[in-house]
Amino acid sequence: MTAGTLHPTLAVFGRQLALYRRLWQASVFSSFVLPVLFLVSIGIGVGRYVGTLEGVDYLAWIVPGVLASTVLQISMGESTYAVLGDFKWSRAYHAMRATPVRPVDIVCGHLLYLVLRAEVAVVAFLLVVVFFGGLHSPWSLVAPLVCAVLTVATAAPVTAFAAAIDHDSYFALLYRFVVIPSTLFAGVFFPVEQLPAVVRPLAYASPLWHGVELCRAATLGRVTAWPPVVHVGYLLLWAVGGVTLAVLAFKRRLED
Amino acid sequence: MADQPLIFARDLVKRFGDFTAVNGIDLEVAPGEAFGFLGPNGAGKSSTMRMIGCVSVPTSGQLRILGMDPAREGTAIRARLGVCPQLDNLDPDLTVRENLTTYARYFGLSRAESGRRADELLEFVRLSDRAKGKVEPLSGGMKRRLTIARALVNEPDLVLLDEPTTGLDPQARHLLWERLFRLKQRGTTLVLTTHYMDEAEQLCDRLVVMDGGKIIASGSPRSLIETYSTAEVLELRFPDGLDLNGDYAAKLEGVGERIDPLPDRVLVYADDGDAALAEVHRRGLTPSSVLVRRSTLEDVFLQLTGRTLVD
């Protein structure tokens, strides 16, 4: 037996990369093209009617929102069917379980891969946005870091959810009642202050809003209304809670 | 160390709620052995295999794998096991070779070493020409061979094969047996489950027969046959047998050592099948078809449980 040199989490990460090398074409549209189309159509198209918002042109205002919601899309896209499929259809997780790879390695390897996926999309998006004059501050360099935390904060709980269910029809509910409302009302396209006061707590509860707030502060170079540590802390809470739940769900599903 | 059993179990029990899948079994498997679990579906074979593979926690009893405790040292044990599961779980979107290299990495092997072993194992299971191809178009037998190659990628001390040839056509089965036999010759310890008698006879040095979560007999295939059956079996089919096989059995009383009327045929257990057949003719009985064959584990199972194995 050769002594182990590679951490099992990285081995799982490596498997995801090998898959990505085969399937990356399919993700180009949703990860790169779609966010840019969003930005152009809404930022410039709708922006013409909106003019400026909170003192900046509308395009620059929604850049961080589209950025964070792209991260959410990638989290969702890769943690729903892909995770359930590796339990039910390919049974790849069962194959891993028969090796020294532990449930915590599977979860962490998966999330590490998603962070990479999100970062590639985030950096590509930011590079495009520079040409539109959408970044107003060198603090924009912090945005990818925020997006990494947001990736884990959203992907980990969804991964836990996917590992706990037995049928993919639950994903439709997740999209309908969580993802789409978050994207619409968590400060991506307009400030949450414009929502009725009774609905606002829902936006505050959403990790997406905290990600949007931090990204917006970064790209526009201004301070957040709430202390940044609250936003970061809240996202970390989702990340840690999500990872814990996901590891438990994986254990329950792979061991008896 | 060499004499320490690779698998040691005492009074091993696995329950799922009210259902007892494994009901107090004792096992010892020595290094280099080819050991089989034989039994019908639901006998508790796969549950036992999952406990040995350290993915299922025993409800009670004692279990040591490679001298270690699965509850505390599961990861260390799994590092030295090779597992070929009952359901194929290859990565359908990766190539044949990538399936081996990514899996090798789970054991911490370097990229270069993973590649070297992948090529070597593809050669061994005769899939080298498919290395760059996808998994999906492979036949069932090829997929199973790839899964076995994958199970060998960490050079395991113990290989677990859960129904390795179920669902394969005869030709694919024979090729697989031949490869497994080669492994056995190299001294690899094999533990397999099967509900095929011929598979158990071909591959196993020693086996246990399981039924209803218990071990009902154990020994080498030959010793089991000698203990629970006769050297030969005479199979008789009668034209009007369907309802009358019981009556024919009565008329055959005293021919051979034992008579077993089945719905479609009557089995006569005798050490000399031809002599038994002569006696059948002497009694004026005229079966429509006659077969004298060697006794198999199927007969052992029938004798032990009163039921046929695959139904």
Side-chain angles (χ1 to χ4, degrees):
Chain A
M1 179 67 209
T2 318
T5 51
L6 177 76
H7 195 279
T9 296
L10 293 178
V12 175
F13 176 66
R15 178 248 179 186
Q16 302 294 5
L17 284 185
L19 278 175
Y20 186 57
R21 272 200 292 277
R22 302 255 151 246
L23 308 168
W24 66 273
Q25 293 94 333
S27 70
V28 167
F29 185 76
S30 61
S31 298
F32 303 109
V33 181
L34 204 59
V36 172
L37 289 181
F38 247 97
L39 196 69
V40 171
S41 68
I42 298 182
I44 297 176
V46 178
R48 189 170 292 173
Y49 297 96
V50 178
T52 59
L53 188 59
E54 295 179 342
V56 295
D57 62 288
Y58 187 58
L59 180 115
W61 196 86
I62 66 161
V63 159
V66 173
L67 184 68
S69 79
T70 300
V71 168
L72 180 67
Q73 290 300 331
I74 292 174
S75 279
M76 289 292 153
E78 295 291 322
S79 301
T80 48
Y81 293 90
V83 170
L84 184 64
D86 278 346
F87 278 114
K88 274 187 77 131
W89 302 311
S90 79
R91 297 177 65 81
Y93 292 148
H94 296 83
M96 293 178 192
R97 190 68 190 106
T99 74
V101 172
R102 302 156 301 169
V104 64
D105 298 311
I106 307 179
V107 170
C108 292
H110 166 71
L111 292 174
L112 198 59
Y113 162 72
L114 284 192
V115 168
L116 178 87
R117 281 286 308 277
E119 288 304 310
V120 170
V122 161
V123 170
F125 180 76
L126 289 176
L127 288 176
V128 173
V129 167
V130 169
F131 289 101
F132 285 95
L135 303 180
H136 288 190
S137 161
W139 279 97
S140 300
L141 291 170
V142 179
L145 206 63
V146 174
C147 290
V149 179
L150 180 63
T151 306
V152 180
T154 50
V158 175
T159 299
F161 178 74
I165 60 171
D166 207 43
H167 199 277
D168 60 3
S169 58
Y170 291 101
F171 293 141
L173 300 177
L174 186 69
Y175 274 94
R176 221 165 282 164
F177 295 108
V178 180
V179 180
I180 295 174
S182 302
T183 307
L184 292 177
F185 301 117
V188 173
F189 300 110
F190 59 87
V192 290
E193 288 71 31
Q194 292 181 15
L195 289 171
V198 283
V199 198
R200 258 177 254 163
L202 288 177
Y204 298 150
S206 147
L208 181 60
W209 179 71
H210 297 268
V212 171
E213 282 293 291
L214 288 170
C215 284
R216 188 160 287 138
T219 64
L220 298 181
R222 58 189 199 189
V223 291
T224 46
W226 298 15
V229 66
V230 172
H231 295 301
V232 175
Y234 189 73
L235 288 178
L236 287 176
L237 198 69
W238 274 81
V240 172
V243 169
T244 309
L245 290 175
V247 171
L248 285 176
F250 271 64
K251 274 191 181 156
R252 251 187 50 188
R253 193 139 182 177
L254 295 174
E255 292 166 7
D256 53 56
Chain B
M1 186 65 196
D3 296 315
Q4 184 192 23
L6 295 188
I7 301 175
F8 175 88
R10 279 288 171 277
D11 203 21
L12 193 62
V13 174
K14 181 69 191 181
R15 281 192 207 96
F16 299 98
D18 293 339
F19 174 69
T20 305
V22 179
N23 193 3
I25 61 169
D26 295 343
L27 290 171
E28 257 170 64
V29 177
E33 254 192 314
F35 184 86
F37 291 95
L38 180 75
N41 291 329
K45 309 186 298 287
S46 291
S47 295
T48 306
M49 286 292 253
R50 287 174 54 76
M51 287 192 278
I52 296 171
C54 305
V55 290
S56 172
V57 183
T59 308
S60 69
Q62 207 189 343
L63 183 64
R64 287 281 177 286
I65 311 295
L66 309 169
M68 292 183 274
D69 176 5
R72 289 185 295 110
E73 296 155 295
T75 306
I77 297 170
R78 281 192 298 269
R80 292 166 58 192
L81 298 184
V83 179
C84 175
Q86 196 174 338
L87 296 169
D88 280 321
N89 53 23
L90 297 162
D91 252 317
D93 293 313
L94 296 178
T95 66
V96 167
R97 189 173 183 275
E98 281 172 336
N99 260 281
L100 298 183
T101 51
T102 55
Y103 201 79
R105 305 281 280 161
Y106 297 156
F107 292 91
L109 297 175
S110 72
R111 207 175 285 278
E113 182 65 11
S114 301
R116 195 186 62 73
R117 290 198 192 172
D119 294 332
E120 202 179 279
L121 286 166
L122 286 176
E123 193 70 39
F124 176 67
V125 295
R126 297 178 180 169
L127 286 171
S128 297
D129 53 330
R130 307 298 288 257
K132 291 197 173 70
K134 286 257 191 168
V135 164
E136 214 42 62
L138 298 183
S139 70
M142 289 172 166
K143 281 183 185 163
R144 201 55 64 87
R145 263 146 54 205
L146 181 57
T147 308
I148 288 172
R150 197 182 65 173
L152 298 174
V153 85
N154 58 328
E155 295 175 348
D157 295 325
L158 177 61
V159 178
L160 307 177
L161 303 140
D162 199 355
E163 300 195 4
T165 66
T166 297
L168 302 185
D169 61 59
Q171 211 181 346
R173 292 178 73 201
H174 280 282
L175 179 54
L176 205 66
W177 284 348
E178 189 259 322
R179 293 289 97 181
L180 290 176
F181 192 74
R182 197 154 290 238
L183 269 186
K184 188 177 138 180
Q185 280 181 319
R186 288 183 188 174
T188 308
T189 310
L190 302 178
V191 173
L192 60 103
T193 71
T194 182
H195 52 227
Y196 297 119
M197 301 297 170
D198 47 353
E199 186 156 287
E201 287 184 69
Q202 289 259 353
L203 293 174
C204 299
D205 303 321
R206 205 157 60 81
L207 55 93
V208 292
V209 182
M210 285 189 79
D211 192 39
K214 283 184 173 298
I215 291 174
I216 54 172
S218 64
S220 70
R222 196 89 307 265
S223 76
L224 283 169
I225 289 167
E226 278 163 12
T227 311
Y228 296 101
S229 190
T230 49
E232 291 187 328
V233 180
L234 171 62
E235 292 199 6
L236 303 172
R237 286 170 201 267
F238 292 96
D240 50 359
L242 283 181
D243 303 312
L244 298 175
N245 274 347
D247 300 348
Y248 282 115
K251 288 181 194 160
L252 289 164
E253 191 66 46
V255 182
E257 289 181 21
R258 194 163 53 83
I259 312 289
D260 216 336
L262 298 182
D264 59 335
R265 65 214 139 110
V266 179
L267 303 183
V268 179
Y269 292 90
D271 286 323
D272 184 342
D274 290 320
L277 180 59
E279 174 63 18
V280 170
H281 288 307
R282 209 188 53 77
R283 294 192 185 185
L285 295 169
T286 51
S288 56
S289 88
V290 166
L291 172 70
V292 177
R293 59 167 175 82
R294 282 176 57 219
S295 210
T296 70
L297 285 172
E298 178 86 47
D299 303 304
V300 171
F301 190 79
L302 190 65
Q303 160 73 3
L304 285 167
T305 66
R307 290 178 286 117
T308 54
L309 191 72
V310 186
D311 46 15

